């Protein structure tokens, strides 16, 4: 063997690099063990310890600090470490509306509404959908009249065609998504999460992974990501100015109530409206009634007695005025911009009252009412503020665009937390003028006004201004926590999102479930490794030991390379490692079977080994390249854990080839030089498949019939019974819940049906009789944070009825739009994989019959697995869900099937080259070729099947369906390479195969 020295040098160099890369994981683990020992169970102390040591050298040999080592350790995915994974979708609908300056054009708004409906189920780009819908609504309509204005005249002319407008919208949407990506990245970078990951995906979506984020922090993350950061400063009305208006509104609503009950339109409306107006002027009986039914403070207690006023005062029954006790002990309107309070549950009703057309008619054009950002003084009541619009455009006095810096600080007056802000020079001038106007006469406290600080249309604070503020420095104070001021400062520094961003997919994994996944993954890896090692020695004797050494080296190289490239190890990634253990010996099996054939011809061991490696090379390369292609397709089209699996699979194939072709050869050469006896079989296995002569070709029509019947039954089942879809394929929310006692799924289902609604949820066992997985489509169309909270609160209420002690280990949310996209993408990915691999076979074997046989076999395997999952869904004692992991399994099966098929095809090509005489029957030659590779086919299949059985048993519930799909697929793939691919190739080739 030539080049042994180069191979040894490269192997040693790669080993040193891998050892160095893996050492960071060992160092950080030791530091974190010390931190846990110091903290004694306190998360705060543990974090404090790690923060204090982050810049200290912890790797003495190279003087690396903890932060440096942490960034280079083997990264664990969310399913192993726990954390939060969200997919954000930029609202292009809102962007288009903004670009049109909120146009009131009827056709434009109708087209937008239609586009919103279509976009829920269509995978097409939103701009395409909008353009189609506008053309339907107004075939001859001109969009330039809606979008062209002075601010964008350089990009869009007033006489521009609809095609020009479409290009403009595409450019602006791309800019908006890119800006949103950068803004969200800046927010996340300052959030304090170790190794966050943010990726811009196709279209208008952004994937964000936050390892280590706990269940308690999810609400904070949602607010941080979804807040558009629209910061504005407004002048305000005083409560006394607004009270008469609210009184008038209250009268109008009371009149409408009477109108509905008494059918007396004119008299009820006129009388009540007049009475309300008179009362407001006199400050008389209505305020007295409110005083009598209100509490003696400005918090939620002011809501007492509202039920008694519901008929006569509909607005004040849910929005009591801001009334307090004056210096004289009498009840009076509280000065300031707060005009009322409402319970959180009543805010929707108040909004509906204020949005009534009759109510809007009596409200001043320059007045808007905004809710406070959070309940007042820790109560359940939200304050309503009266905002005064100013200037010619009726807008805020200042926008957040002038903010140049913001940071969390301590409020020296109250001792609480606040956000201090720095403004640019233009902002400082405007701010000085606005605060001077609000201060009025600084010597007269009664002349001081408030300025409301509004973030995303919610008032975060409304301080009273007593003096003008110069220098452009200001602060936002209120009842904030440190985390809230930190997040608010980060949001303001990062900037405002150009369009609203909504969470359309969310996955939260608790640390306890992640630790269980690590444990089950390590067990499955360990047991799988032992199975492979024992089997290889059991079947191939001392040569099997050489293969075992190569497997050990392969796993070491694989882990080292994964760490060095910064790959994230996920639970499917661990499954990939286990699978690699099985397929890594495939090359060794091919080589060993070839060596045994050469030894049977009477060659010496040195020559037999050399020829065995040479003759097996083409089969090894073709089979591994085809499997690598499936991994590449998975990596390109997959997301999250599926990409982790694909990464592991591709790297594992490369390291397996290096170890099987080079490391194993070097070991054999060393053993030959040392005259160590190398045995390639045990007495019982030496002749196990020798002279096999099964009539595979002759019985091909029986195989066709079996496959056809099974697939036909599957298609009937798919049409009638369908599939059990995972949440990522059908949309919805999924929760894994653990109880402290044994419960049946029926008990849990009955309980949550009472809260979420009957038929809204599905409950399945998930890892024992104390654990269930609950999937629900309740409120799935609502992407707001309020909906997320309502679903979980309602679910917890139902769960508490069946057991007071339970724990939600993980949760997942997938919106219907992204679910449809995932489903469509999955179908095209499988089709694309089949076409790519068939194309590769055509290039390598240069006959379309081989490519056709491979294509039919891969499609056959996919259909058989789908049929199996439909036929046996609900029959087997575990879930057979169709989800992204299942698609990964299908593609892996396709790769394995092609791997097997290529080996058979390679031998057929070889035999046809030897038996090229016209008298030779191609069917006989093909059958001989199949039988000659039977030992390799069976041994490889058994090795992989043994490993997958281990993965299925020990891999844990999260990947049980995934491992079972692989197990079923490998069995079908082995069958199809012999009984489908080859017969199809033969039937369409016939005598031409000898030409």
């Amino acid at each position: 063997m030539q080049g042994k020295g180069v191979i040894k040098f490269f192997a040693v160099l790669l080993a040193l690099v891998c050892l160095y890369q893996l050492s960071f994981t060992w160092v950080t683990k030791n530091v974190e063990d010390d931190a846990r020992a110091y903290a004694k169970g306190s998360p705060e102390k543990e974090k404090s310890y790690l923060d204090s040591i982050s810049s200290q050298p912890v790797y003495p040999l190279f003087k690396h600090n903890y932060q440096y080592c942490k960034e280079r350790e083997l990264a664990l995915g969310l399913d192993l470490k726990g954390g939060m994974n969200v997919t954000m979708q930029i609202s292009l609908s809102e962007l288009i509306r903004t670009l049109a300056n909120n146009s009131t054009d009827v056709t434009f708004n109708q087209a937008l509404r239609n586009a919103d409906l279509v976009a829920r189920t269509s995978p097409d780009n939103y701009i395409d959908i909008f353009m189609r819908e506008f053309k339907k609504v107004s075939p001859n309509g001109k969009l330039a009249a809606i979008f062209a204005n002075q601010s964008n005249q350089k990009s869009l002319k007033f006489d521009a065609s609809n095609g020009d407008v479409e290009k403009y919208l595409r450019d602006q949407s791309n800019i908006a998504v890119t800006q949103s990506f950068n803004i969200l990245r800046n927010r996340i970078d300052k959030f304090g999460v170790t190794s966050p990951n943010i990726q811009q995906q196709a279209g208008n979506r952004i994937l964000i992974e936050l390892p280590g984020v706990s269940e308690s922090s999810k609400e904070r993350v949602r607010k941080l990501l979804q807040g558009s950061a629209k910061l504005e400063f407004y002048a305000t009305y005083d409560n006394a100015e607004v009270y008469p208006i609210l009184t008038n509104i209250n009268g109008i609503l009371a009149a409408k109530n009477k109108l509905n009950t008494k059918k007396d339109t004119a008299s009820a409306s006129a009388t009540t409206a007049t009475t309300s107006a008179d009362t407001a002027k006199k400050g008389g009986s209505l305020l007295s009634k409110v005083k009598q039914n209100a509490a003696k403070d400005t918090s939620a207690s002011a809501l007492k007695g509202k039920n008694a006023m519901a008929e006569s005062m509909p607005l004040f029954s849910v929005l009591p005025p801001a009334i307090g006790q004056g210096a004289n002990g009498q009840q009076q309107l509280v000065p300031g911009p707060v005009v009322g309070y409402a319970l959180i549950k009543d805010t929707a009703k108040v909004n509906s009252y204020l949005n009534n057309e009759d109510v809007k008619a009596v409200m001043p054009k320059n007045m808007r009412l905004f809710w406070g950002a959070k309940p007042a003084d820790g109560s359940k009541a939200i304050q309503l503020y009266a905002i005064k619009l100013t200037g010619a455009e009726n807008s805020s006095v200042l926008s957040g665009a002038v903010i140049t810096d913001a940071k969390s600080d301590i409020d020296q007056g109250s001792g609480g937390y606040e956000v201090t802000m720095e403004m640019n020079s233009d902002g400082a001038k405007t701010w000085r003028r606005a605060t001077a106007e609000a201060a009025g006469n600084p010597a007269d406290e009664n002349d001081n006004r408030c300025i409301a600080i509004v973030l995303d249309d919610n008032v975060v604070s409304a301080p009273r201004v007593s003096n003008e503020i110069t220098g452009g420095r200001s602060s936002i104070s209120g009842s904030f926590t440190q985390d809230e001021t930190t997040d608010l400062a980060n949001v303001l520094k990062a900037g405002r999102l150009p369009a609203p961003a909504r969470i359309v997919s969310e996955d939260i994994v608790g640390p306890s479930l992640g630790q269980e996944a690590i444990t089950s993954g390590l067990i499955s890896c360990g047991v799988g490794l032992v199975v492979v090692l024992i089997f290889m020695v059991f079947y191939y004797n001392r040569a099997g030991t050489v293969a075992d050494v190569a497997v050990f080296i392969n796993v070491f190289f694989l882990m080292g390379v994964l760490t060095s490239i910064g790959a994230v190890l996920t639970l499917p990634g661990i499954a990939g490692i286990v699978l690699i253990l099985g397929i890594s010996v495939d090359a060794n099996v091919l080589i060993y079977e070839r060596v045994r054939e050469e030894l049977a011809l009477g060659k010496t061991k040195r020559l037999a080994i050399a020829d065995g490696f040479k003759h097996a090379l083409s089969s090894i390369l073709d089979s591994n390249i085809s499997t690598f292609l499936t991994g590449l397709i998975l990596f390109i089209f997959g997301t999250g854990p599926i990409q982790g699996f694909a990464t592991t699979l591709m790297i594992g194939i490369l390291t397996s080839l290096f170890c099987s072709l080079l490391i194993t050869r070097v070991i054999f050469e060393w053993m030959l030089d040392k005259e160590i006896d190398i045995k390639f079989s045990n007495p019982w296995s030496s002749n196990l498949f020798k002279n096999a002569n099964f009539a595979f070709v002759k019985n091909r029509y029986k195989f066709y019939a079996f496959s056809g019947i099974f697939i036909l039954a599957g298609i009937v089942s798919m049409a009638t019974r369908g599939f059990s879809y995972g949440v990522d394929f059908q949309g919805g929310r999924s929760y894994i819940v653990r109880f402290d006692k044994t419960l049946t799924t029926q008990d849990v289902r009955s309980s949550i049906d009472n809260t979420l609604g009957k038929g809204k949820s599905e409950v399945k066992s998930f890892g024992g009789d104390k654990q269930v997985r609950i999937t629900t489509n309740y409120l799935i169309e609502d992407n707001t944070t309020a909906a997320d909270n309502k679903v979980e609160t309602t679910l917890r209420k139902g769960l508490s009825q069946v057991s007071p002690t339970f724990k939600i280990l993980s949760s997942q949310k997938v919106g219907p739009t992204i679910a449809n996209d995932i489903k469509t993408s999955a179908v095209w990915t499988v089709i694309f994989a089949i076409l790519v691999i068939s194309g590769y076979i055509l290039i390598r074997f240069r006959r379309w019959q081989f490519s056709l046989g491979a294509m039919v076999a891969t499609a056959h395997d996919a259909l058989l697995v789908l049929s199996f999952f439909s036929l046996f869904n609900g029959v087997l004692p575990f879930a057979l869900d169709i989800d992204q992991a299942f698609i990964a399994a299908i593609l892996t099966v396709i790769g394995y099937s092609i791997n097997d098929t290529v080996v058979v095809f390679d031998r057929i090509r070889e035999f046809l080259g030897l038996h090229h005489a016209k008298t030779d029957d191609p069917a006989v030659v093909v059958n001989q070729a199949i039988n000659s590779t039977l030992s390799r086919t069976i041994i490889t299949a058994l090795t992989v099947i043994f490993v997958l059985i281990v993965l299925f048993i020990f891999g844990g519930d999260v990947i049980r369906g995934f491992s079972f799909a692989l197990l079923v697929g490998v069995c079908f793939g082995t069958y199809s390479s012999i009984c489908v691919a080859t017969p199809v190739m033969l039937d369409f080739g016939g005598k031409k195969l000898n030409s």
Side-chain angles (χ1 to χ4, degrees):
M1 178 186 178
Q2 296 180 346
K4 286 190 291 185
V6 175
I7 294 171
K8 290 179 181 178
F9 172 78
F10 186 76
V12 171
L13 181 63
L14 182 59
L16 290 174
V17 170
C18 291
L19 186 63
Y20 174 71
Q21 293 294 336
L22 290 170
S23 67
F24 292 117
T25 304
W26 179 75
V27 170
T28 55
K29 183 181 181 303
N30 286 339
V31 172
E32 287 162 6
D33 286 344
D34 292 341
R36 278 189 289 272
Y38 167 80
K40 296 180 180 179
S42 171
E44 291 77 14
K45 285 187 176 181
E46 184 177 340
K47 185 177 184 302
S48 175
Y49 179 93
L50 293 175
D51 288 343
S52 66
I53 206 173
S54 62
S55 59
Q56 300 298 317
V58 294
Y59 199 156
L61 185 61
F62 299 101
K63 297 182 180 179
H64 295 321
N65 59 37
Y66 171 72
Q67 187 63 34
Y68 183 90
C69 295
K70 187 68 178 175
E71 291 171 355
R72 287 159 179 78
E73 70 172 351
L74 178 62
L76 299 181
L78 301 188
D79 49 2
L80 295 175
K81 189 175 183 179
M84 191 171 183
N85 177 334
V86 300
T87 300
M88 309 288 297
Q89 182 166 286
I90 309 304
S91 177
L92 296 185
S93 173
E94 292 296 326
L95 176 67
I96 290 175
R97 197 181 298 277
T98 301
L99 292 174
N101 200 23
N102 294 311
S103 172
T104 57
D105 184 88
V106 176
T107 55
F108 167 75
N109 285 285
Q110 184 61 50
L112 265 183
R113 286 192 293 270
N114 294 348
D116 289 341
L117 291 173
V118 174
R120 292 181 181 178
T121 55
S122 173
D124 293 347
N125 182 279
Y126 188 87
I127 304 297
D128 293 336
I129 297 173
F130 169 73
M131 294 301 295
R132 288 200 302 264
E133 294 304 316
F134 183 81
K135 190 173 183 180
K136 290 178 184 178
V137 175
S138 180
N140 300 315
K142 296 295 184 181
L143 284 168
I146 298 172
F147 287 98
N149 52 54
Q150 291 294 332
S151 62
N152 62 11
Q153 58 181 330
K154 291 185 178 179
S155 304
L156 193 64
K157 304 299 181 184
F158 286 96
D159 59 348
S161 66
N162 283 0
D164 293 333
V165 175
E166 181 178 356
K167 182 179 182 301
Y168 170 74
L169 294 179
R170 290 189 190 282
D171 291 342
Q172 292 301 310
S173 68
N174 291 334
I175 292 170
V177 173
T178 302
Q179 286 179 342
S180 298
F181 173 81
N182 292 328
I183 290 169
L184 289 171
R185 181 174 58 189
N186 289 335
R187 293 183 186 181
I188 291 302
D189 286 343
K190 298 175 177 63
F191 186 66
V193 176
T194 303
S195 304
N197 177 36
I198 177 167
Q199 301 173 15
Q200 187 172 330
Q201 297 185 310
N204 57 330
R205 292 190 183 133
I206 298 170
L207 174 69
I208 299 170
E209 294 180 335
L210 303 172
V213 170
S214 63
E215 180 82 9
S216 60
S217 300
K218 63 184 179 184
E219 186 61 28
R220 179 186 171 196
V221 172
R222 289 170 182 162
K223 288 181 178 178
L224 178 72
L225 296 179
Q226 294 189 121
S228 65
K230 184 179 73 173
L231 181 69
E232 295 168 306
F233 301 86
Y234 284 95
T236 61
Y237 279 95
D238 190 75
N239 187 16
E241 297 173 303
V242 179
Y243 175 74
I245 299 171
L246 294 182
T247 305
N248 197 13
I249 292 171
N250 193 70
I252 292 172
L253 294 172
K256 292 176 74 70
N257 284 345
K258 291 181 180 179
L259 178 65
N260 292 333
T261 55
K262 296 182 178 181
K263 309 293 184 181
D264 188 0
T265 309
S267 61
S269 178
T271 303
T272 310
T274 303
T275 304
S276 299
D278 291 343
T279 304
K281 292 176 183 178
K282 297 175 185 177
S285 60
L286 184 56
L287 179 57
S288 301
K289 288 183 179 180
V290 175
K291 292 174 183 177
Q292 293 167 7
N293 289 283
K296 296 181 180 180
D297 56 40
T298 60
S299 67
S301 58
L303 299 167
K304 292 181 180 179
K306 70 173 186 175
N307 291 333
M309 302 186 294
E311 291 297 323
S312 59
M313 292 183 286
L315 178 63
F316 289 151
S317 67
V318 289
L319 184 76
I323 300 171
Q325 188 172 0
N328 59 2
Q330 299 296 315
Q331 295 289 318
Q332 64 179 35
L333 293 170
V334 176
V338 177
V339 297
Y341 302 85
L343 293 174
I344 296 174
K345 67 181 182 65
D346 290 331
T347 54
K349 181 178 287 188
V350 174
N351 290 338
S352 68
Y353 285 155
L354 297 178
N355 288 325
N356 183 280
E357 292 301 324
D358 293 333
V359 169
K360 287 182 178 180
V362 301
M363 291 179 65
K365 297 298 183 183
N366 68 337
M367 187 178 80
R368 293 182 66 184
L369 298 173
F370 283 151
W371 294 106
K374 58 192 298 187
D377 302 325
S379 69
K380 294 182 179 180
I382 299 284
Q383 297 166 315
L384 187 66
Y385 291 80
I387 303 302
K388 180 183 288 186
L389 305 180
T390 58
E393 297 182 354
N394 264 355
S395 61
S396 60
V397 296
L398 194 64
S399 76
V402 302
I403 303 297
T404 58
D405 191 21
K407 64 179 180 179
S408 174
D409 208 344
I410 301 293
D411 186 343
Q412 299 299 325
S414 66
Y417 294 97
E418 66 177 6
V419 176
T420 57
M421 303 173 293
E422 299 286 345
M423 300 178 183
N424 60 27
S425 57
D426 290 338
K429 292 177 184 177
T430 305
W431 186 237
R432 178 178 180 176
R433 185 171 60 253
T435 52
E437 290 176 2
N441 181 3
D444 183 4
E445 185 177 317
N446 295 325
D447 195 37
N448 300 156
R449 292 269 184 166
C450 297
I451 288 185
I453 302 172
V454 180
L455 181 67
D456 295 337
D457 292 337
N458 288 307
V459 179
V460 292
S461 67
R464 183 173 294 277
V465 181
S466 56
N467 290 288
E468 69 176 36
I469 301 174
T470 60
R473 182 178 174 86
S474 189
S475 64
I476 304 175
S477 59
S479 55
F480 295 122
T481 64
Q482 185 176 12
D483 284 343
E484 287 173 332
T485 54
T486 299
D487 291 345
L488 179 55
N490 291 339
V491 164
L492 294 179
K493 280 193 290 186
R496 176 183 175 181
L497 292 174
R502 298 286 180 263
I503 295 176
V504 293
S505 174
E506 178 183 284
D507 197 359
I508 303 171
V509 180
S512 59
L513 192 63
Q515 184 57 51
E516 291 174 11
I518 293 174
T519 303
S520 61
L522 290 175
I523 292 174
S524 60
C525 279
V527 177
L529 181 61
V530 170
V531 168
V532 169
L533 299 181
I534 292 176
F535 180 80
M536 290 302 290
V537 174
F538 183 64
Y539 192 84
Y540 287 112
N541 204 315
R542 186 165 290 173
T545 305
V546 176
D548 289 348
V549 173
V551 168
F552 267 116
I553 297 173
N554 181 31
V555 172
F556 173 68
F557 284 166
L558 172 59
M559 299 304 294
V561 173
L562 283 174
T563 306
S564 64
I565 66 173
V568 178
L569 184 63
T570 61
L571 191 55
I574 290 179
I577 294 173
V578 177
L579 184 62
I580 286 295
L581 294 177
I583 65 176
S584 65
V585 300
D586 176 58
N588 291 110
V589 171
L590 281 170
I591 294 167
Y592 291 177
E593 291 300 320
R594 280 288 192 170
V595 170
R596 285 167 60 162
E597 290 177 15
E598 302 300 329
L599 289 172
L601 294 174
K603 295 182 180 180
T604 63
K605 283 189 178 177
R606 186 179 291 274
L607 183 59
I609 289 172
D611 287 347
F613 273 89
K614 182 174 68 175
H615 293 149
L617 183 61
S618 63
S619 295
I620 292 170
L621 291 178
D622 284 338
S623 60
N624 280 276
I625 288 172
S626 58
T627 307
F628 186 89
L629 286 174
T630 62
L632 183 61
I633 291 169
L634 266 176
F635 182 81
I636 293 172
F637 293 102
T639 58
I642 303 306
Q643 281 189 328
F645 171 77
T647 302
T648 305
L649 185 65
M650 289 189 293
I651 294 174
I653 288 171
L654 296 177
T655 55
S656 294
L657 283 174
F658 177 75
C659 293
S660 300
L661 293 176
L662 301 177
I663 299 296
T664 305
R665 183 71 184 276
V666 168
I667 295 174
F668 278 142
E669 292 288 338
W670 175 80
M671 294 176 72
L672 290 170
D673 291 341
K674 295 294 183 181
E675 298 183 353
I676 299 173
D677 186 25
I678 306 173
K679 294 182 179 179
F680 287 87
S681 63
N682 285 301
W684 69 271
S685 62
S686 58
N687 298 310
L688 189 60
F689 293 99
K690 194 173 183 180
N691 300 320
N693 191 27
F694 297 100
F696 292 110
V697 173
K698 182 180 179 181
N699 292 306
R700 63 187 182 276
Y701 298 111
K702 296 179 181 177
F703 300 138
Y704 290 162
F706 167 77
S707 296
I709 292 171
F710 199 107
I711 291 174
L712 181 61
I715 291 173
V716 172
S717 179
M718 292 177 213
T720 55
R721 301 180 71 236
F723 295 105
S724 173
Y725 288 109
V727 69
D728 47 0
F729 265 43
Q730 66 180 352
R733 293 176 173 86
S734 179
Y735 303 87
I736 296 176
V737 183
R738 178 177 296 165
F739 298 95
D740 64 337
K741 62 181 180 179
T742 300
L743 291 170
T744 66
T745 55
Q746 184 58 45
D747 291 337
V748 179
R749 186 181 297 109
S750 299
S751 181
I752 62 175
D753 277 352
N754 295 331
T755 54
L756 294 179
K758 196 169 183 62
K760 292 282 187 181
S761 308
E762 181 181 67
V763 182
K764 294 181 180 178
S765 294
F766 191 84
D769 51 10
K770 294 183 180 180
Q771 202 162 283
V772 297
R773 182 172 62 193
I774 301 170
T775 304
T776 178
N777 59 5
Y778 179 58
L779 294 183
I780 193 55
E781 295 285 353
D782 191 340
N783 278 327
T784 64
T785 301
D788 294 331
N789 295 335
K790 183 176 180 180
V791 173
E792 186 167 329
T793 301
T794 308
L795 176 67
R796 287 181 179 277
K797 181 179 178 181
L799 293 174
S800 63
Q801 293 173 2
V802 71
S803 174
T805 306
F806 63 87
K807 185 176 183 181
I808 297 179
L809 301 179
S810 74
S811 63
Q812 183 184 11
K813 167 194 165 184
V814 178
T817 303
I818 197 169
N820 280 310
D821 289 356
I822 290 171
K823 197 183 300 182
T824 303
S825 174
V827 172
W828 283 110
T829 300
V830 172
I831 293 173
F832 182 63
I834 293 174
L835 292 176
V836 167
I837 293 173
S838 300
Y840 176 77
I841 298 298
L842 180 63
I843 293 170
R844 286 292 293 128
F845 289 87
R846 300 187 180 183
R847 294 194 182 189
W848 64 268
Q849 292 91 345
F850 285 94
S851 182
L852 177 64
M855 183 184 295
V856 171
T858 50
H860 162 276
D861 296 340
L863 282 173
L864 277 180
V865 176
L866 285 167
S867 298
F868 191 96
F869 267 58
S870 180
L871 287 167
F872 293 95
N873 180 35
V875 177
L876 297 176
F878 48 87
L880 295 179
D881 290 344
I882 305 295
D883 53 18
Q884 289 191 87
F886 173 83
I887 298 302
I890 285 283
L891 290 175
T892 307
V893 166
I894 289 173
Y896 176 83
S897 176
I898 287 296
N899 183 310
D900 220 5
T901 301
V902 163
V903 173
V904 178
F905 280 0
D906 187 76
R907 186 59 67 96
I908 290 172
R909 180 174 55 181
E910 180 183 338
F911 271 42
L912 288 172
L914 295 172
H915 303 77
H916 55 80
K918 292 183 179 180
T919 55
D920 289 335
D921 183 359
V924 174
V925 176
V926 168
N927 202 70
Q928 289 175 348
I930 295 174
N931 278 283
S932 69
T933 63
L934 193 59
S935 58
R936 177 265 167 197
T937 302
I938 299 299
I939 297 306
T940 301
L942 284 177
T943 306
V944 176
I945 287 171
F946 288 157
V947 171
L948 289 175
I949 289 174
V950 169
L951 185 64
F952 175 74
I953 296 172
F954 298 103
D957 297 286
V958 176
I959 57 170
R960 181 147 292 149
F962 170 71
S963 57
F964 186 74
L966 281 175
L967 184 58
V968 172
V970 165
C971 294
F972 286 143
T974 304
Y975 158 79
S976 71
S977 62
I978 296 174
C979 304
V980 176
T982 306
V984 167
M985 178 272 298
L986 178 65
D987 285 338
F988 281 88
K991 294 293 183 180
K992 295 180 182 178
L993 294 175
N994 273 348
S995 60

